[in-house]
Amino acid sequence: MKVVVLGSGVIGVTAAYQLAVAGHEVTVVDRQPAAALETSYGNAGEVSPGYSAPWAGPGVPVKAIKWLLMHHRPLVVRPHLDLGMVRWGMSMLRNCTAARYEVNKGRMVRLAEYSRKCLEELRDQTGIQYDQRTQGTLQLFRTQAQLDHTGADIAVLKRSGVQFELLDRDGCVRQEPALAGVRDKFAGGLLLPGDETGDCFKFTQNLAAMAVMQGVQFRYGTRIQRLRFAAQQVDGVVTDVGTLKADAYLVALGSYSPLLLAPLRIRIPVYPVKGYSITVPITDATGAPESTVMDETHKVAVTRLGDRIRVGGTAELAGYTLKLHQARRDTLEHVVTDLFPRGGDARRAEFWCGLRPMTPDGTPVIGATRLPNLYLATGHGTLGWTMAAGTGRVMADVISGRKPAIDMNGLTIDRYAGAYR
């Protein structure tokens, strides 16, 4: 078939590559001059199936109030007239129960664990390089109370067969030797040894080049205006340089997906939640992290990417603005200098932000729609990099008419039937 993929972030490129391997004629459309120049460009660098969890959970509303009052706060809300944000927020609050958290985390881990296996296979098959490391994620708890409240997550990890290990201070230092000098600043940690790290931008750019070798055409610098509808299906993609026609269309536009779908009366609760990162050059390798350390207090990840440290975090609800705020940089600098004071020179850091496409329940929206030739791969939130390889494989299977290797229950748009359609 002829397939048009809308979006050249890590989700769109991975899907395009898998569709081409499956034998389809694939065209990717993006407004940027190259792949991975928006949300996939500067993310935290984690490939973390074990850390896959929804933001909505028991106690989160109370925690959110505390976060808003912190000096280096992980949550920022910039009030403005936006009914979409209000509706999304109310739906998120409805998911803040123990029962919903367990269901949603189970769905996320299912896709993320499958994606980990797909990434391993892709790496073995292609030899793709992206500053990858396979040394796990250390979720670092600064307080004993945080350490004592890991029960719900551990229960899901056990049921999903995800490896983990609870660590005391000494165990954390064995995993991340550079933490030895700040051991008084944390109580313990949760190690997820199956997690990986890597530069999402490098991966996506290199995979895009491999996709070209598979016959994929990339139409960069092309603005998507709307989906044309006729005879109860999509009849073409109208762009600023003409209309593209295909047999199937895959929307992988991240936070912008709902805007394109709304005129077709397909409504998904994906909302942009801005995240920030700084990329710090390493000045002392012995003082830098070996893999990823996730600061549970500030919700900031500190990741080793080759000769750089990527520091990513913050959830900012501010619509579609990409304005950089110095206070967010200050928070990221605080975390990396607090935990790894000798590792890098934060004064020389590159400061970046991107819009994470978040759903209220944390689970992405992938698979078919009510229109027979329209498919979705969006809403991955902070886990687009973690879930990309698996999402790409799933979408190639679904569009090709094959049964995916994982259970699609709870991952498709059907879970929003009635509320958002």
Side-chain angles (χ1 to χ4, degrees):
M1 295 188 295
K2 290 184 178 181
V3 183
V4 168
V5 177
L6 306 179
S8 70
V10 66
I11 300 294
V13 169
T14 308
Y17 177 84
Q18 294 291 354
L19 284 162
V21 169
H24 301 296
E25 182 181 330
V26 184
T27 300
V28 179
V29 186
D30 198 287
R31 62 187 175 187
Q32 296 293 345
L37 290 181
E38 296 197 21
T39 304
S40 298
Y41 177 77
N43 65 24
E46 298 173 87
V47 180
S48 301
Y51 195 68
S52 299
W55 288 7
V60 166
V62 174
K63 289 179 183 178
I65 295 173
K66 294 179 180 178
W67 290 336
L68 288 169
L69 298 176
M70 290 170 60
H71 175 63
H72 291 295
R73 52 188 184 271
L75 175 64
V76 178
V77 179
R78 302 195 184 278
H80 62 291
L81 184 59
D82 187 344
L83 294 179
M85 182 175 75
V86 173
R87 189 179 187 188
W88 181 89
M90 295 299 294
S91 183
M92 182 179 177
L93 288 174
R94 288 194 293 271
N95 279 278
C96 289
T97 66
R100 293 305 306 163
Y101 179 86
E102 185 169 339
V103 169
N104 293 332
K105 183 175 176 66
R107 292 168 175 173
M108 296 169 73
V109 170
R110 184 200 321 156
L111 177 58
E113 279 294 309
Y114 176 63
S115 189
R116 178 180 60 79
K117 296 175 184 177
C118 292
L119 181 59
E120 289 176 357
E121 292 175 5
L122 184 62
R123 196 164 54 231
D124 291 342
Q125 293 165 0
T126 65
I128 190 169
Q129 297 294 310
Y130 48 94
D131 286 337
Q132 65 267 29
R133 292 188 171 211
T134 56
Q135 295 168 252
T137 293
L138 176 62
Q139 188 177 1
L140 198 68
F141 303 113
R142 290 181 181 261
T143 68
Q144 186 62 41
Q146 292 172 337
L147 193 60
D148 293 340
H149 285 84
T150 57
D153 282 342
I154 287 175
V156 176
L157 294 176
K158 286 180 177 179
R159 282 194 295 275
S160 302
V162 179
Q163 287 185 303
F164 70 91
E165 184 180 354
L166 275 175
L167 304 178
D168 58 13
R169 283 192 180 97
D170 291 338
C172 291
V173 172
R174 283 195 298 272
Q175 178 68 17
E176 288 287 353
L179 292 174
V182 295
R183 57 184 297 129
D184 60 320
K185 295 185 177 181
F186 55 88
L190 177 66
L191 175 64
L192 300 162
D195 286 4
E196 304 179 12
T197 59
D199 188 328
C200 182
F201 172 72
K202 285 189 176 181
F203 172 87
T204 309
Q205 289 251 307
N206 289 339
L207 191 63
M210 294 176 180
V212 170
M213 295 177 64
Q214 292 285 341
V216 176
Q217 294 185 8
F218 284 84
R219 298 203 176 187
Y220 295 122
T222 301
R223 290 191 170 273
I224 301 161
Q225 296 177 340
R226 62 184 176 88
L227 295 175
R228 196 167 69 185
F229 179 74
Q232 300 304 308
Q233 64 178 3
V234 176
D235 186 48
V237 181
V238 180
T239 76
D240 59 348
V241 292
T243 300
L244 299 175
K245 294 179 67 70
D247 301 302
Y249 304 85
L250 173 60
V251 177
L253 291 171
S255 297
Y256 297 91
S257 300
L259 306 182
L260 185 70
L261 295 169
L264 300 181
R265 301 183 69 182
I266 295 176
R267 307 195 185 281
I268 53 174
V270 171
Y271 190 81
V273 178
K274 192 196 298 184
Y276 291 84
S277 76
I278 56 174
T279 304
V280 182
I282 291 176
T283 54
D284 181 352
T286 65
E290 291 295 323
S291 187
T292 289
V293 173
M294 181 69 195
D295 183 341
E296 183 62 20
T297 296
H298 297 96
K299 301 295 184 182
V300 169
V302 185
T303 301
R304 175 77 162 263
L305 295 177
D307 59 357
R308 301 158 294 147
I309 302 172
R310 176 68 54 75
V311 189
T314 303
E316 181 175 296
L317 296 173
Y320 286 86
T321 175
L322 290 171
K323 182 179 180 180
L324 292 166
H325 293 276
Q326 180 63 35
R328 306 283 66 76
R329 177 170 184 152
D330 293 344
T331 294
L332 301 177
E333 288 186 3
H334 164 73
V335 170
V336 70
T337 56
D338 193 48
L339 296 177
F340 300 97
R342 297 184 296 108
D345 186 354
R347 295 170 301 178
R348 295 161 49 201
E350 176 189 6
F351 188 30
W352 172 90
C353 71
L355 301 179
R356 309 181 186 108
M358 298 290 298
T359 62
D361 58 15
T363 310
V365 185
I366 62 176
T369 71
R370 59 180 171 79
L371 302 184
N373 64 343
L374 180 64
Y375 303 85
L376 306 180
T378 186
H380 294 76
T382 60
L383 297 167
W385 182 200
T386 295
M387 296 179 173
T391 297
R393 183 81 65 83
V394 164
M395 295 315 305
D397 287 339
V398 170
I399 293 173
S400 300
R402 300 189 299 259
K403 183 179 179 180
I406 62 169
D407 181 7
M408 294 291 287
N409 181 47
L411 301 177
T412 67
I413 194 174
D414 293 338
R415 72 182 189 271
Y416 297 121
Y420 288 95
R421 292 175 65 186

